[in-house]
Amino acid sequence: MNHPGAPPGGGPIAVIGLGYVGLPLALSFARQGRTVVGVETDPEVRSSLAAGHPRFHEPLVAELLREQLGKRFTVAAEPPSWLEAVVICVGTAVDPETKRPNLAHLRSAVDAIAPRVDDDTLVVIRSTVPVGTTRNLVRARLRDRGVDPLLAFCPERTIQGRAMVELSELPQVIGAIDERSLARAKELYAPVAPDQVPVSSPEAAELVKLVCNAHTDLIYGFGNEVALIAEALGVDASEVIASANLRYPRPDLCRPGYVGGSCLTKDPYLLAHSAEEAGYHPPMVVAAREVNERVPRAAVQHVLAALASAGRPLKDAKVLVCGVAYKGHPETDDVRGSAAIDVVRLLGGRVAELAGHDYVVGAEPTARIGLIPASLDEGMADADAVLVLVDHPRYAREITAEAVRARMRPSATVVDIWGVLQDELGALPDVDYRRLGNGR
């Protein structure tokens, strides 16, 4: 329903939080002809966006921002005085020690929109939350402030590096508080996400998002468990997994590799919390996360063992970390949940130099997590060890046998979590090449 004085085609949409989730969605709405106010509390982010510069790397976002800025998309510190719809996309964290949910940003966002919505406004929660949050926190908090708007939970399930494409291609799950809310949410999303999957409640939609990410964490976790078992048994996990998958009709085993990012390092804990609040402890969810969190430590142990084998004292060693972002393919500049953070925690201060290289992450965020920013050439120069944390395809092309021999110190070590350099370095007699899961 349009408010009095609303322009033809519907009133404005506010998207609260202009990060990796909110900005692509806001620009997608604008591209489809809606008037969108992007609300961001961080003044540096607002200033950068107002100048046409996103603060993160995502294909097509910069182009769309320049196309829509000042036309159908504007940036503000607060929501406008009235809204037809508001989509909340703020971050939801877990406490690093207790792994309990921290919903402070969500509460603040709800408080900010409460004076600007009424019973005809559609409020959509897109932030990932524990099951029951839409009803028990958002609705209850709005009701306490005298409003009871239409309400739905519509999770984001895109992958970074393909967000703009997947927004329109992936099925959009929609769980609403009632039928009227469901109809409005379906109408809102129809232009940007025509393939829709309505579910019976916000709780069902909240659980869809959590189980999707926890399942991804679990299947990759099993690949990493196989890798750790293979190392202990003196077997090559890559051979085992490839042979098990070959011409076999059951679900594929995943190859070993780091499982990170802001979602997969957090959402399993939100799922576990939701289950435990209901009286059930989910052992598989927790175990998979624990296995995946062991991977950076296992990689560092390989570095330490190789340096010791080469007789290189830690205090004199230079180590290059390749991959500061949490993943390399599709590429991103997001360092949240990055293995590099754990490597810095485990190696920082123990080696003479801990350098970092990434094809997308800039020098400032690289330095911020505790690595010395370096080009690939600079980082490899006189390095004792290179630790490759991501599967960016350029590493397979640029960390060659020739480059290792020419730039690194003799008895060079290369520890490769994903095995992207196996074909190039695996058989070299003068390079200590170590791959996660290779127990031979």
Side-chain angles (χ1 to χ4, degrees):
M1 177 183 299
N2 290 347
H3 288 250
I13 302 169
V15 175
I16 314 294
L18 297 178
Y20 288 90
V21 174
L23 184 59
L25 180 66
L27 294 173
S28 295
F29 281 135
R31 180 169 57 176
Q32 295 300 322
R34 296 305 303 266
T35 300
V36 183
V37 179
V39 180
E40 175 57 57
T41 58
D42 187 325
E44 292 186 3
V45 173
R46 286 201 309 273
S47 176
S48 181
L49 291 175
H53 304 300
R55 294 290 293 264
F56 57 87
H57 171 81
E58 181 65 49
L60 301 179
V61 164
E63 295 89 334
L64 269 179
L65 177 61
R66 290 191 291 269
E67 174 188 300
Q68 298 296 332
L69 186 64
K71 299 171 185 174
R72 294 194 178 274
F73 176 70
T74 56
V75 181
E78 297 179 347
S81 58
W82 66 268
L83 296 163
E84 179 176 314
V86 55
V87 185
I88 297 178
C89 303
V90 298
T92 50
V94 295
D95 183 275
E97 299 299 327
T98 66
K99 308 303 182 183
R100 306 283 289 179
N102 180 349
L103 303 179
H105 292 308
L106 179 62
R107 293 188 182 93
S108 296
V110 172
D111 292 345
I113 67 169
R116 296 166 168 84
V117 302
D118 60 27
D119 292 357
D120 287 325
T121 308
L122 172 66
V123 175
V124 173
I125 308 304
R126 199 162 178 81
S127 305
T128 305
V129 295
V131 176
T133 299
T134 301
R135 189 185 305 272
N136 300 327
L137 189 157
V138 177
R139 192 183 201 193
R141 205 169 182 92
L142 289 169
R143 281 179 161 182
D144 286 345
R145 285 149 180 79
V147 291
D148 193 11
L150 307 176
L151 186 60
F153 182 81
C154 302
E156 171 272 336
R157 295 192 294 166
T158 62
I159 188 173
Q160 286 178 20
R162 286 183 47 83
M164 297 304 302
V165 174
E166 291 194 346
L167 262 172
S168 61
E169 291 183 348
L170 292 181
Q172 176 61 62
V173 174
I174 302 174
I177 212 81
D178 53 35
E179 288 299 321
R180 186 163 170 246
S181 299
L182 177 62
R184 283 283 299 280
K186 291 172 66 177
E187 180 184 11
L188 174 69
Y189 273 93
V192 298
D195 184 0
Q196 299 181 347
V197 182
V199 294
S200 60
S201 65
E203 290 81 5
E206 291 164 339
L207 187 55
V208 165
K209 173 57 187 280
L210 294 178
V211 298
C212 280
N213 280 348
H215 178 253
T216 300
D217 198 46
L218 190 150
I219 61 175
Y220 281 120
F222 187 75
N224 287 329
E225 185 90 286
V226 171
L228 297 173
I229 291 170
E231 286 190 4
L233 294 174
V235 176
D236 185 347
S238 292
E239 179 190 18
V240 170
I241 291 170
S243 300
N245 288 338
L246 187 63
R247 297 190 299 277
Y248 191 66
R250 310 294 181 259
D252 283 353
L253 299 174
C254 291
R255 63 176 175 148
Y258 178 67
V259 186
S262 64
C263 293
L264 297 188
T265 57
K266 164 178 65 74
D267 293 358
Y269 289 118
L270 295 181
L271 178 58
H273 170 80
S274 300
E276 288 163 356
E277 289 288 292
Y280 175 71
H281 174 74
M284 292 177 68
V285 172
V286 175
R289 183 86 300 264
E290 290 175 350
V291 169
N292 288 328
E293 289 176 356
R294 291 182 60 183
V295 169
R297 186 164 65 251
V300 167
Q301 288 170 347
H302 275 298
V303 172
L304 297 177
L307 292 175
S309 178
R312 189 83 66 198
L314 278 183
K315 63 182 180 61
D316 299 328
K318 175 183 177 181
V319 177
L320 171 65
V321 174
C322 289
V324 180
Y326 79 88
K327 66 172 184 174
H329 183 71
E331 65 180 13
T332 181
D333 62 350
D334 192 354
V335 302
R336 296 174 300 172
S338 164
I341 295 172
D342 287 329
V343 169
V344 170
R345 178 175 53 82
L346 295 166
L347 274 183
R350 301 178 67 186
V351 296
E353 184 176 344
L354 190 58
H357 170 267
D358 194 284
Y359 290 108
V360 185
V361 179
E364 183 179 338
T366 298
R368 195 181 305 131
I369 70 170
L371 295 167
I372 301 170
S375 68
L376 189 57
D377 285 349
E378 292 168 343
M380 291 180 68
D382 295 323
D384 298 285
V386 169
L387 174 51
V388 182
L389 298 178
V390 300
D391 57 346
H392 198 294
R394 286 183 62 182
Y395 285 128
R397 298 195 300 268
E398 298 180 14
I399 302 180
T400 63
E402 180 183 1
V404 169
R405 288 168 171 154
R407 296 171 193 156
M408 296 181 67
R409 291 180 181 174
S411 303
T413 293
V414 177
V415 177
D416 181 9
I417 285 185
W418 286 93
V420 296
L421 305 175
Q422 170 66 37
D423 291 345
E424 179 70 16
L425 305 181
L428 298 183
D430 54 340
V431 175
D432 187 354
Y433 175 76
R434 301 185 178 218
R435 174 169 41 82
L436 183 66
N438 186 7
R440 289 178 176 172

